Amino acid sequence: MAKTTEKHTDFNIMIVGQGGRLQFEALIFAASLRDQSPDFKGRLFVAEPQPGALWPNDPRIRGDETRDLLKELGAEIIPFENKHFGHTYPYGNKIEALFSLPKGEPFVFFDTDTLITGDLASVPFDFTRPTASMRREGTWPQLELYGPGYGAIWKSLYDKFGLDFESSLDLGQPDEYWQRYLYFNAGFFFYDCPRVFGQRFLDYALAIANDAPPELVCQELDPWLDQVALPLVIHSFGGARDTPEAGLLDGDITCHYRVLPLLYARESDHVVKVLESVTAPNRVKKVLKEYDPIKRMIYQGRGRKVRALFDQDDLPRREQAIRNTIKRNGFWMR
């Protein structure tokens, strides 16, 4: 087990709550936070996108029961306006929602498909040195046969924003291997001011989307735009890999499970136990059963059937192989 070293100042947490799947994941997140991290003294914000020109339908949380339960679990639902992304790129919510948080107060953003599995208040955050999730695969860039390599693609982005490329490299990894280059999953990130972080994140993301370097001409930016911009933002603020130490976030303290079938397939017995424990109270169950994938996976036992398909101590190396097995057996749902 990774060890923490000190307590720290209070901080805020932000997740995005939106009508449909995300609102139910937000309930599970809030329930697990209160259950597993009773010493957390900060505020939990559920940022809710508002109707507008960038949404063809109302994106807000549906149903008073969900709203009421989130509030009972200590969450504060706060509205935000989409000015740049919205329906065409919903991953941009995590950027635009940052402007709704209190200015100058440390924050941690989590994707809603995250489970708190330990004492979050014990994590020794240094909010002046941001980082993000290292639980990722080499999803971007995808190299073309006669196109530029990893180094040229990433360097073009660092050069675009006047950032030092060499200091971002992990020199313990070989040249032209994807892990040599700073790359994160955007499932969590933090800093000491959400407005400052959000403005730079927005500026970089829009600049890449609207005026990418020539080296990116063959690269897809949907859905990867946030994960392309994020390492540049983190590096610009003096952040790095694994601050705080590895093994806490996406480790002993949190689990970014992404979809419930993957949680049951590959996560620890402790993670499964926390999930089923925090979703067991009748008040929580009544609301969560409104969402069919949660009802089937957790309450009707399909998750346990998924778990039985795998040896958790000898899982396939690539996530796609796990997904394929689940789909082949008819248990994939989200």
Side-chain angles (χ1 to χ4, degrees):
M1 298 281 284
K3 294 182 179 179
T4 58
T5 56
E6 62 181 28
K7 298 282 184 178
H8 55 81
T9 188
D10 293 341
F11 57 91
N12 300 321
I13 293 173
M14 185 191 85
I15 59 176
V16 174
Q18 189 171 335
R21 172 175 57 87
L22 268 63
Q23 71 184 62
F24 298 104
E25 291 176 347
L27 283 174
I28 295 175
F29 180 96
S32 66
L33 174 66
R34 298 310 170 194
D35 182 77
Q36 293 291 302
S37 190
D39 292 331
F40 174 69
K41 304 301 182 185
R43 302 163 74 184
L44 170 59
F45 293 107
V46 178
E48 181 187 49
Q50 300 299 293
L54 297 180
W55 295 102
N57 301 306
D58 189 340
R60 289 176 295 186
I61 294 169
R62 304 165 196 157
D64 290 339
E65 285 194 336
T66 300
R67 290 179 174 278
D68 291 344
L69 184 53
L70 281 168
K71 293 173 183 178
E72 288 175 26
L73 291 168
E76 301 176 46
I77 301 173
I78 54 172
F80 72 92
E81 180 184 358
N82 291 100
K83 298 180 179 179
H84 304 280
F85 298 110
H87 173 73
T88 58
Y89 190 70
Y91 300 97
N93 279 343
K94 67 182 65 177
I95 302 174
E96 296 196 82
L98 292 171
F99 295 96
S100 66
L101 296 187
K103 183 178 181 180
E105 296 184 10
F107 77 96
V108 185
F109 164 82
F110 288 104
D111 274 344
T112 53
D113 49 6
T114 300
L115 193 71
I116 306 301
T117 56
D119 183 10
L120 191 62
S122 70
V123 176
F125 289 101
D126 180 350
F127 286 100
T128 66
R129 298 191 67 223
T131 193
S133 174
M134 291 289 286
R135 190 176 186 183
R136 78 280 192 249
E137 294 184 331
T139 48
W140 195 92
Q142 294 294 312
L143 303 189
E144 298 293 326
L145 182 59
Y146 297 108
Y150 287 104
I153 290 171
W154 279 114
K155 187 175 187 302
S156 72
L157 288 164
Y158 283 78
D159 290 347
K160 179 177 179 64
F161 298 108
L163 303 174
D164 181 64
F165 174 62
E166 297 297 326
S167 62
S168 74
L169 300 177
D170 180 354
L171 299 180
Q173 301 289 347
D175 192 30
E176 289 302 315
Y177 178 56
W178 70 270
Q179 291 194 39
R180 183 179 178 91
Y181 310 95
L182 198 62
Y183 187 57
F184 300 106
N185 183 286
F188 78 79
F189 51 83
F190 60 83
Y191 192 56
D192 59 10
C193 176
R195 307 284 182 90
V196 172
F197 193 94
Q199 188 63 60
R200 189 164 299 176
F201 203 172
L202 178 64
D203 291 344
Y204 282 16
L206 291 177
I208 294 167
N210 298 329
D211 185 27
E215 288 82 355
L216 272 66
V217 67
C218 294
Q219 297 298 323
E220 292 287 341
L221 291 173
D222 188 357
W224 313 115
L225 178 61
D226 61 329
Q227 294 190 180
V228 177
L230 184 58
L232 306 169
V233 176
I234 285 174
H235 188 64
S236 75
F237 284 122
R241 301 165 179 83
D242 293 326
T243 65
E245 65 195 83
L248 300 176
L249 303 179
D250 285 337
D252 293 341
I253 306 297
T254 69
C255 172
H256 185 203
Y257 59 87
R258 299 184 39 213
V259 291
L260 287 175
L262 286 178
L263 183 153
Y264 276 101
R266 67 185 179 183
E267 304 300 344
S268 68
D269 290 344
H270 174 66
V271 170
V272 174
K273 181 179 179 181
V274 170
L275 173 70
E276 295 184 345
S277 174
V278 302
T279 58
N282 288 332
R283 179 78 175 90
V284 176
K285 184 188 300 185
K286 180 182 178 182
V287 178
L288 290 180
K289 287 177 74 172
E290 296 176 8
Y291 191 63
D292 199 53
I294 291 177
K295 179 175 71 175
R296 295 184 184 280
M297 277 286 131
I298 299 176
Y299 300 117
Q300 295 183 351
R302 291 195 184 184
R304 290 290 178 169
K305 292 179 180 178
V306 170
R307 194 161 184 78
L309 295 173
F310 298 92
D311 178 354
Q312 280 72 44
D313 295 321
D314 188 23
L315 291 167
R317 292 184 63 185
R318 293 191 63 81
E319 181 181 298
Q320 191 59 50
I322 300 175
R323 288 173 175 253
N324 290 343
T325 298
I326 297 170
K327 291 175 181 178
R328 199 163 51 241
N329 285 272
F331 292 130
W332 186 259
M333 55 186 62
R334 185 176 193 180

